[in-house]
Amino acid sequence: MNLPKLYQILAFSLFLTACDQSVNQDTLTVYTSRQPQLIEPILDKYSEATGIDIVLLSGNAQQLLERIEVEGINSPADLFITVDAGVLWQASQANIFEPISSSILTNNIPKNFRDPEGKWFGLSKRIRAIVVNDKGNQAPPKSYHELAGKQWKNRLCLRTSAKVYNQSLIASMLFRLSEEETHKILSGWSNNLATKVFSSDTLALKAVQSGQCDATIVNSYYLGRLIDQQIGNNLSIIWPDQESFGVHVNISGGGVLKTSNNKAEAVKLLEWLSGKEAQKDYAFINLEYPVLQDQELHPILKSWGNFKEDTMPVHQLGVLQRQAVLAARKADYN
Ligand code: FE
């Protein structure tokens, strides 16, 4: 193919993209790392209520971020919705988000769950708690710190520190504690491991359940799922650090892309997701906690009772992410 012809094709496809975007003001495209079954039912409700069609592209967060970057100004994406404040922070560092000033978003979402520059907003809370079996429940650990103690030698199971959930947990320690205190906890955990680290929270839970170890640290919705499927026997949740900073809280959330051609509608969708109508479902479907105050919780969550949450600004989980990775490495926590 000669070069001018290639340019023609490129120009033609750019033209098509431009036309698409100018006529489809009633369509929003959402790139998401959330599993479709967790988010589709809520977006369907929005479409029904507003007549706005939503095109969903789901995939791995890092791959979607790369795709957004490669597509540049021609990206069809209007919103990026993902999990973990560390990932949202990375996305804002990649400069993909349009800062939004919306009183609906700032009223609905507590300040610590929003980017200070209004680039992304938390839409649900994800609590990283301790889970023990009957044996661990005899003298339950009161803190993440306690799991580093000698009494937990060969009794602890953990998911790999390569997972962003654990990087964020470690980042929260670095925010609250000194580097030295954090190192003590991480190397204590590493010394107490009963087995190699796991690739998923669910595998860690099953190891605790079977007695391979007596405690682990997981996002509470993974335990919720087992209970919901009636296979959560021999497992109890513990809310750590209730006498100090509170249990570690992460978020799922999203933002509007600065390359969106339909920013006003994209903001409206984000606002709706933070509102009363959507918040219950948004949190309910994945057994998460709503960011909007005083919302109804899933019965499984209700059965776990109230607890104190760490109120640190979650964007710091991103700021401290690199340091967290290094701290895990230094403590031999793989
Ligand atoms: Fe998860």
mmCIF file of all heavy atoms in Angstrom, residues 231-255:
data_model
loop_
_atom_site.group_PDB
_atom_site.id
_atom_site.type_symbol
_atom_site.label_atom_id
_atom_site.label_comp_id
_atom_site.label_asym_id
_atom_site.label_seq_id
_atom_site.Cartn_x
_atom_site.Cartn_y
_atom_site.Cartn_z
ATOM 1 N N ILE A 231 -21.617 -21.405 51.819
ATOM 2 C CA ILE A 231 -20.411 -22.222 51.990
ATOM 3 C C ILE A 231 -19.376 -21.445 52.820
ATOM 4 O O ILE A 231 -18.186 -21.605 52.649
ATOM 5 C CB ILE A 231 -19.805 -22.671 50.636
ATOM 6 C CG1 ILE A 231 -19.630 -21.480 49.678
ATOM 7 C CG2 ILE A 231 -20.646 -23.756 50.001
ATOM 8 C CD1 ILE A 231 -18.822 -21.791 48.440
ATOM 9 N N GLY A 232 -19.893 -20.580 53.700
ATOM 10 C CA GLY A 232 -18.990 -19.739 54.501
ATOM 11 C C GLY A 232 -18.834 -20.231 55.937
ATOM 12 O O GLY A 232 -18.414 -19.476 56.810
ATOM 13 N N ASN A 233 -19.143 -21.522 56.160
ATOM 14 C CA ASN A 233 -19.056 -22.046 57.532
ATOM 15 C C ASN A 233 -17.624 -22.002 58.064
ATOM 16 O O ASN A 233 -16.674 -22.033 57.288
ATOM 17 C CB ASN A 233 -19.576 -23.493 57.578
ATOM 18 C CG ASN A 233 -18.835 -24.375 56.595
ATOM 19 O OD1 ASN A 233 -18.828 -24.097 55.401
ATOM 20 N ND2 ASN A 233 -18.202 -25.417 57.097
ATOM 21 N N ASN A 234 -17.498 -21.962 59.376
ATOM 22 C CA ASN A 234 -16.186 -21.954 60.050
ATOM 23 C C ASN A 234 -15.372 -20.694 59.760
ATOM 24 O O ASN A 234 -14.153 -20.711 59.883
ATOM 25 C CB ASN A 234 -15.390 -23.219 59.692
ATOM 26 C CG ASN A 234 -14.160 -23.410 60.570
ATOM 27 O OD1 ASN A 234 -14.144 -22.951 61.712
ATOM 28 N ND2 ASN A 234 -13.130 -24.037 60.055
ATOM 29 N N LEU A 235 -16.020 -19.610 59.360
ATOM 30 C CA LEU A 235 -15.290 -18.361 59.103
ATOM 31 C C LEU A 235 -15.976 -17.202 59.823
ATOM 32 O O LEU A 235 -17.196 -17.067 59.744
ATOM 33 C CB LEU A 235 -15.238 -18.067 57.596
ATOM 34 C CG LEU A 235 -14.409 -19.024 56.728
ATOM 35 C CD1 LEU A 235 -14.623 -18.724 55.245
ATOM 36 C CD2 LEU A 235 -12.925 -18.955 57.082
ATOM 37 N N SER A 236 -15.205 -16.393 60.533
ATOM 38 C CA SER A 236 -15.764 -15.205 61.203
ATOM 39 C C SER A 236 -14.964 -13.971 60.829
ATOM 40 O O SER A 236 -13.740 -14.026 60.710
ATOM 41 C CB SER A 236 -15.699 -15.337 62.726
ATOM 42 O OG SER A 236 -16.163 -16.587 63.129
ATOM 43 N N ILE A 237 -15.695 -12.873 60.713
ATOM 44 C CA ILE A 237 -15.034 -11.609 60.361
ATOM 45 C C ILE A 237 -14.630 -10.858 61.637
ATOM 46 O O ILE A 237 -15.345 -10.898 62.651
ATOM 47 C CB ILE A 237 -15.947 -10.753 59.450
ATOM 48 C CG1 ILE A 237 -15.118 -9.678 58.747
ATOM 49 C CG2 ILE A 237 -17.122 -10.149 60.204
ATOM 50 C CD1 ILE A 237 -15.730 -9.200 57.448
ATOM 51 N N ILE A 238 -13.475 -10.224 61.574
ATOM 52 C CA ILE A 238 -12.984 -9.405 62.695
ATOM 53 C C ILE A 238 -12.672 -8.025 62.132
ATOM 54 O O ILE A 238 -11.974 -7.915 61.112
ATOM 55 C CB ILE A 238 -11.661 -9.977 63.250
ATOM 56 C CG1 ILE A 238 -11.785 -11.465 63.537
ATOM 57 C CG2 ILE A 238 -11.156 -9.151 64.434
ATOM 58 C CD1 ILE A 238 -12.003 -11.863 64.931
ATOM 59 N N TRP A 239 -13.168 -6.982 62.766
ATOM 60 C CA TRP A 239 -12.832 -5.619 62.337
ATOM 61 C C TRP A 239 -11.592 -5.176 63.092
ATOM 62 O O TRP A 239 -11.656 -4.941 64.300
ATOM 63 C CB TRP A 239 -13.995 -4.654 62.608
ATOM 64 C CG TRP A 239 -15.295 -5.090 62.005
ATOM 65 C CD1 TRP A 239 -16.440 -5.387 62.683
ATOM 66 C CD2 TRP A 239 -15.592 -5.260 60.619
ATOM 67 N NE1 TRP A 239 -17.423 -5.754 61.801
ATOM 68 C CE2 TRP A 239 -16.932 -5.682 60.524
ATOM 69 C CE3 TRP A 239 -14.861 -5.119 59.440
ATOM 70 C CZ2 TRP A 239 -17.557 -5.956 59.314
ATOM 71 C CZ3 TRP A 239 -15.477 -5.399 58.232
ATOM 72 C CH2 TRP A 239 -16.800 -5.801 58.174
ATOM 73 N N PRO A 240 -10.444 -5.080 62.439
ATOM 74 C CA PRO A 240 -9.210 -4.745 63.167
ATOM 75 C C PRO A 240 -9.095 -3.255 63.476
ATOM 76 O O PRO A 240 -9.819 -2.421 62.924
ATOM 77 C CB PRO A 240 -8.102 -5.183 62.205
ATOM 78 C CG PRO A 240 -8.723 -5.150 60.857
ATOM 79 C CD PRO A 240 -10.189 -5.386 61.032
ATOM 80 N N ASP A 241 -8.181 -2.952 64.370
ATOM 81 C CA ASP A 241 -7.766 -1.578 64.687
ATOM 82 C C ASP A 241 -8.922 -0.710 65.172
ATOM 83 O O ASP A 241 -8.961 0.505 64.909
ATOM 84 C CB ASP A 241 -7.066 -0.935 63.469
ATOM 85 C CG ASP A 241 -5.698 -1.558 63.183
ATOM 86 O OD1 ASP A 241 -5.480 -2.722 63.596
ATOM 87 O OD2 ASP A 241 -4.847 -0.912 62.571
ATOM 88 N N GLN A 242 -9.864 -1.330 65.873
ATOM 89 C CA GLN A 242 -11.030 -0.575 66.355
ATOM 90 C C GLN A 242 -10.668 0.383 67.482
ATOM 91 O O GLN A 242 -11.399 1.323 67.752
ATOM 92 C CB GLN A 242 -12.142 -1.535 66.800
ATOM 93 C CG GLN A 242 -12.693 -2.367 65.655
ATOM 94 C CD GLN A 242 -13.281 -1.508 64.532
ATOM 95 O OE1 GLN A 242 -14.363 -0.965 64.682
ATOM 96 N NE2 GLN A 242 -12.570 -1.364 63.417
ATOM 97 N N GLU A 243 -9.557 0.117 68.141
ATOM 98 C CA GLU A 243 -9.154 1.025 69.222
ATOM 99 C C GLU A 243 -8.137 2.047 68.740
ATOM 100 O O GLU A 243 -7.665 2.871 69.509
ATOM 101 C CB GLU A 243 -8.610 0.221 70.411
ATOM 102 C CG GLU A 243 -9.741 -0.357 71.253
ATOM 103 C CD GLU A 243 -9.390 -1.665 71.924
ATOM 104 O OE1 GLU A 243 -8.217 -1.853 72.293
ATOM 105 O OE2 GLU A 243 -10.304 -2.494 72.063
ATOM 106 N N SER A 244 -7.777 1.988 67.447
ATOM 107 C CA SER A 244 -6.851 3.001 66.922
ATOM 108 C C SER A 244 -7.470 3.700 65.694
ATOM 109 O O SER A 244 -8.422 4.463 65.849
ATOM 110 C CB SER A 244 -5.489 2.386 66.601
ATOM 111 O OG SER A 244 -5.628 1.289 65.721
ATOM 112 N N PHE A 245 -6.961 3.415 64.506
ATOM 113 C CA PHE A 245 -7.381 4.198 63.329
ATOM 114 C C PHE A 245 -8.652 3.686 62.662
ATOM 115 O O PHE A 245 -9.243 4.369 61.840
ATOM 116 C CB PHE A 245 -6.259 4.203 62.289
ATOM 117 C CG PHE A 245 -4.932 4.613 62.847
ATOM 118 C CD1 PHE A 245 -3.868 3.733 62.871
ATOM 119 C CD2 PHE A 245 -4.757 5.894 63.380
ATOM 120 C CE1 PHE A 245 -2.648 4.109 63.407
ATOM 121 C CE2 PHE A 245 -3.547 6.276 63.913
ATOM 122 C CZ PHE A 245 -2.482 5.377 63.933
ATOM 123 N N GLY A 246 -9.037 2.445 62.983
ATOM 124 C CA GLY A 246 -10.174 1.842 62.294
ATOM 125 C C GLY A 246 -9.697 0.943 61.161
ATOM 126 O O GLY A 246 -8.553 1.039 60.708
ATOM 127 N N VAL A 247 -10.608 0.092 60.700
ATOM 128 C CA VAL A 247 -10.280 -0.874 59.645
ATOM 129 C C VAL A 247 -9.962 -0.140 58.329
ATOM 130 O O VAL A 247 -10.511 0.923 58.059
ATOM 131 C CB VAL A 247 -11.450 -1.890 59.475
ATOM 132 C CG1 VAL A 247 -12.734 -1.212 59.033
ATOM 133 C CG2 VAL A 247 -11.088 -3.013 58.502
ATOM 134 N N HIS A 248 -9.059 -0.727 57.543
ATOM 135 C CA HIS A 248 -8.658 -0.129 56.261
ATOM 136 C C HIS A 248 -9.824 -0.131 55.264
ATOM 137 O O HIS A 248 -10.454 -1.161 55.039
ATOM 138 C CB HIS A 248 -7.476 -0.920 55.682
ATOM 139 C CG HIS A 248 -7.142 -0.602 54.266
ATOM 140 N ND1 HIS A 248 -6.800 0.668 53.849
ATOM 141 C CD2 HIS A 248 -7.099 -1.373 53.153
ATOM 142 C CE1 HIS A 248 -6.557 0.647 52.542
ATOM 143 N NE2 HIS A 248 -6.731 -0.577 52.101
ATOM 144 N N VAL A 249 -10.079 1.025 54.679
ATOM 145 C CA VAL A 249 -11.173 1.177 53.710
ATOM 146 C C VAL A 249 -10.602 1.577 52.354
ATOM 147 O O VAL A 249 -9.815 2.512 52.264
ATOM 148 C CB VAL A 249 -12.165 2.273 54.160
ATOM 149 C CG1 VAL A 249 -13.317 2.388 53.160
ATOM 150 C CG2 VAL A 249 -12.704 1.985 55.541
ATOM 151 N N ASN A 250 -10.992 0.835 51.342
ATOM 152 C CA ASN A 250 -10.646 1.201 49.973
ATOM 153 C C ASN A 250 -11.959 1.506 49.240
ATOM 154 O O ASN A 250 -13.029 1.403 49.833
ATOM 155 C CB ASN A 250 -9.872 0.055 49.313
ATOM 156 C CG ASN A 250 -8.936 0.544 48.224
ATOM 157 O OD1 ASN A 250 -9.257 1.462 47.464
ATOM 158 N ND2 ASN A 250 -7.770 -0.066 48.151
ATOM 159 N N ILE A 251 -11.864 1.893 47.985
ATOM 160 C CA ILE A 251 -13.085 2.252 47.253
ATOM 161 C C ILE A 251 -13.082 1.624 45.852
ATOM 162 O O ILE A 251 -12.038 1.234 45.344
ATOM 163 C CB ILE A 251 -13.203 3.790 47.064
ATOM 164 C CG1 ILE A 251 -11.918 4.350 46.428
ATOM 165 C CG2 ILE A 251 -13.544 4.479 48.356
ATOM 166 C CD1 ILE A 251 -12.071 5.728 45.837
ATOM 167 N N SER A 252 -14.272 1.567 45.269
ATOM 168 C CA SER A 252 -14.353 1.497 43.817
ATOM 169 C C SER A 252 -14.799 2.898 43.405
ATOM 170 O O SER A 252 -15.337 3.634 44.229
ATOM 171 C CB SER A 252 -15.376 0.456 43.369
ATOM 172 O OG SER A 252 -16.684 0.990 43.474
ATOM 173 N N GLY A 253 -14.550 3.267 42.174
ATOM 174 C CA GLY A 253 -14.954 4.616 41.784
ATOM 175 C C GLY A 253 -14.677 4.880 40.327
ATOM 176 O O GLY A 253 -14.325 3.967 39.569
ATOM 177 N N GLY A 254 -14.843 6.125 39.942
ATOM 178 C CA GLY A 254 -14.628 6.449 38.535
ATOM 179 C C GLY A 254 -14.535 7.939 38.291
ATOM 180 O O GLY A 254 -14.660 8.748 39.215
ATOM 181 N N GLY A 255 -14.282 8.256 37.034
ATOM 182 C CA GLY A 255 -14.189 9.650 36.633
ATOM 183 C C GLY A 255 -14.553 9.804 35.167
ATOM 184 O O GLY A 255 -14.706 8.808 34.441
#
